Amino acid sequence: MNTYERDMKKTIGLAVMIMAISIGMVYLPTPSILIHKVGEQNAIYIKEIMLQTTIGMILCRLHRRWNLQQVMGLRVIGQKIYLVWPAFFYIGLNAWDLLCGQIQIDYSRGIMLLLFCGANFAVGFFEESLCRGMVLGLFYQRFGASKMGVYKAVIGSSILFGSAHMIHYCLGHSSFIATITQVIYATFIGVFMGAITIRTKSLLPAVIFHGMIDLSGSLDEVSIGGGISHAYGTMSIEVAVIMIILLFPLFLYGIFLLRNTSYKVKDNNEI
């Protein structure tokens, strides 16, 4: 086994271990005492805000400790923010039921609305700190000294991000078709967000987009007569194909953005 193969196995192994530990912590049960105090839905949102924000902050500390923040840090977004424009199209698609008047937000539940927004952005912060900040950061640090290396880093980290959604099938939350579809389109979204992160040299665009896409896709939770659904997720093959086709342009756009990437130079302080 040559040095490159050893480095690749070491990096992938470290990334998978960090993902497994982090995701496992996120799935800790909601404390029953909290449910009794504020109700199940509010309790779930509070747990997500506290737990995912805390884990995300720990990951950000590791970014700095391992010198990953040069490209993956939470710095102020620069002029290249315009590159995220396709995100608004998909946010609009996610919120289509609201835009068409098929659902209405229940504004009488003000506290719940605030917790709902906070929980979705906490998820975005955690998942981007993990998958773009940590996993992509490790891959980019190890392999990002060439154009092909950057493509490998973004696509490889995106495949891990997409594959992590298999947990929904393993836990019995959704069918195999629904889960595989999510794995595929999450990989496409991961390539887009990875490219945006590298081009803007900031995690913030990905965090904001991730939070907005999750929020717009969950509006039925805070709609009149709505709530968090614990129903088993299913999907027909026809719908699965449509979802994959709709999200595939994000993959192509992300690959397109990487063509102008400036490549980093390895230093002697890399892990």
Side-chain angles (χ1 to χ4, degrees):
M1 184 183 297
N2 57 40
T3 302
Y4 179 83
E5 291 175 342
R6 284 197 300 270
D7 285 348
M8 178 175 287
K9 287 189 175 183
K10 175 184 175 182
T11 302
I12 292 174
L14 179 60
V16 169
M17 181 183 70
I18 292 172
M19 288 186 70
I21 294 172
S22 300
I23 294 173
M25 292 174 65
V26 165
Y27 277 89
L28 291 173
T30 305
S32 57
I33 188 172
L34 187 59
I35 295 175
H36 293 316
K37 288 287 186 181
V38 300
E40 182 183 18
Q41 191 161 346
N42 283 342
I44 290 173
Y45 293 151
I46 291 171
K47 186 205 79 169
E48 288 184 351
I49 292 170
M50 296 179 64
L51 192 56
Q52 304 210 37
T53 300
T54 300
I55 299 172
M57 291 175 66
I58 293 172
L59 291 170
C60 286
R61 293 279 294 183
L62 288 176
H63 297 169
R64 290 191 289 272
R65 184 180 181 88
W66 292 348
N67 201 29
L68 305 178
Q69 79 280 7
Q70 294 179 1
V71 176
M72 314 299 167
L74 290 169
R75 60 178 54 83
V76 176
I77 306 169
Q79 295 180 349
K80 293 181 180 179
I81 186 60
Y82 65 86
L83 295 174
V84 306
W85 66 266
F88 295 100
F89 171 74
Y90 291 98
I91 291 168
L93 281 180
N94 251 3
W96 190 251
D97 287 347
L98 177 66
L99 297 176
C100 293
Q102 296 180 20
I103 63 172
Q104 293 182 329
I105 302 300
D106 187 355
Y107 292 105
S108 67
R109 300 187 290 176
I111 299 298
M112 182 176 290
L113 285 173
L114 291 175
L115 292 174
F116 167 75
C117 293
N120 279 285
F121 281 101
V123 171
F125 173 58
F126 161 69
E127 293 192 8
E128 293 310 311
S129 297
L130 174 62
C131 297
R132 251 57 64 185
M134 183 61 65
V135 179
L136 175 57
L138 289 171
F139 282 22
Y140 184 81
Q141 186 184 70
R142 186 68 66 184
F143 310 116
S146 67
K147 183 175 183 178
M148 184 57 64
V150 171
Y151 281 119
K152 288 180 179 180
V154 172
I155 294 174
S157 63
S158 299
I159 291 173
L160 286 181
F161 170 63
S163 299
H165 291 79
M166 282 299 299
I167 192 171
H168 297 302
Y169 178 73
C170 296
L171 294 177
H173 295 165
S174 59
S175 68
F176 183 74
I177 291 177
T179 305
I180 288 297
T181 303
Q182 189 178 22
V183 167
I184 294 172
Y185 71 68
T187 300
F188 294 163
I189 293 174
V191 170
F192 166 73
M193 292 193 287
I196 291 295
T197 299
I198 288 177
R199 287 294 301 275
T200 62
K201 292 181 170 57
S202 174
L203 273 176
L204 283 179
V207 169
I208 294 170
F209 165 63
H210 198 140
M212 291 180 69
I213 202 74
D214 284 353
L215 186 150
S216 61
S218 307
L219 291 172
D220 55 322
E221 294 181 7
V222 289
S223 64
I224 296 175
I228 294 177
S229 174
H230 299 291
Y232 184 70
T234 60
M235 183 179 293
S236 68
I237 294 179
E238 292 80 5
V239 172
V241 171
I242 291 172
M243 291 286 292
I244 291 170
I245 291 173
L246 281 174
L247 274 298
F248 185 62
L250 274 186
F251 171 81
L252 296 179
Y253 181 67
I255 295 297
F256 174 77
L257 290 181
L258 292 175
R259 80 198 190 287
N260 289 331
T261 303
S262 57
Y263 314 121
K264 63 103 189 174
V265 178
K266 271 194 172 184
D267 58 53
N268 295 325
N269 295 321
E270 294 177 356
I271 59 173

